[in-house]
Amino acid sequence: DLMKPDKVMGFNFIDDNIQSGAILVAHPQRENKYLTLEIRASETKTSFTLEESKIKMYKDVSVDVVIASAQGGLDWERPELKKIETYCEQAVKNMMEECFRSHKEMGLDIYEVQENIARKFPDSDIENAIRITDMIVNVKVHLLGSTDVQGTE
């Protein structure tokens, strides 16, 4: 089964393997219009906790983006940069959670949870760790500016 592009991106964020890409978010100033954000850099840090036969996999993601295009243009006189960052953070979080959820439901541990738990908690006797793992995602987006925004009508 091939993964859809947003699931591939979600997996790559989880796996700390994003070199570039684009994220589409709602335009904060124009209804039914969108902004395309270009990923310039990304880093995902991972940590695990084991609490009463429940595994928590924490993913702390930092993403640098620039605005690549804006449908209907963008009013730079009153930029809503924080809103754009929030929309992007939610989009990244949603991609990651959807990707993880689908693999967890299938019992596919492509995130190496079992190996990480065995290494970090050698006395634990957990089988099929992915089934008892919850992923907690924290995303911080830094909007660096634009690539010479081109408004598209």
Side-chain angles (χ1 to χ4, degrees), residues 23-136:
I23 300 171
L24 195 66
V25 297
H27 196 306
Q29 300 165 343
R30 313 262 190 280
E31 199 173 328
N32 299 317
K33 301 285 184 184
Y34 296 92
L35 301 176
T36 302
L37 305 177
E38 181 183 311
I39 299 167
R40 288 294 172 94
S42 174
E43 181 182 30
T44 303
K45 293 184 178 172
T46 305
S47 60
F48 291 90
T49 60
L50 179 60
E51 303 164 12
E52 298 179 23
S53 71
K54 207 57 172 150
I55 298 166
K56 291 194 191 289
M57 177 172 66
Y58 295 89
K59 294 289 183 173
D60 295 308
V61 184
S62 176
V63 186
D64 294 342
V65 299
V66 293
I67 299 171
S69 69
Q71 289 181 332
L74 188 61
D75 180 359
W76 289 100
E77 295 302 313
R78 53 182 201 93
E80 299 181 36
L81 303 182
K82 185 64 190 149
K83 221 182 243 189
I84 295 168
E85 288 176 339
T86 300
Y87 291 167
C88 188
E89 288 166 355
Q90 193 58 53
V92 169
K93 184 175 181 178
N94 290 347
M95 284 186 273
M96 293 173 68
E97 288 176 344
E98 176 58 32
C99 183
F100 180 78
R101 183 175 32 257
S102 67
H103 291 119
K104 178 180 175 177
E105 286 170 1
M106 292 186 278
L108 293 174
D109 187 5
I110 62 176
Y111 310 102
E112 300 177 341
V113 173
Q114 190 76 45
E115 292 85 353
N116 279 289
I117 293 302
R119 197 170 28 256
K120 184 167 168 118
F121 305 102
D123 294 335
S124 67
D125 187 23
I126 295 172
E127 291 183 28
N128 204 359
I130 192 73
R131 295 265 188 208
I132 60 166
T133 300
D134 291 324
M135 183 175 69
I136 293 84

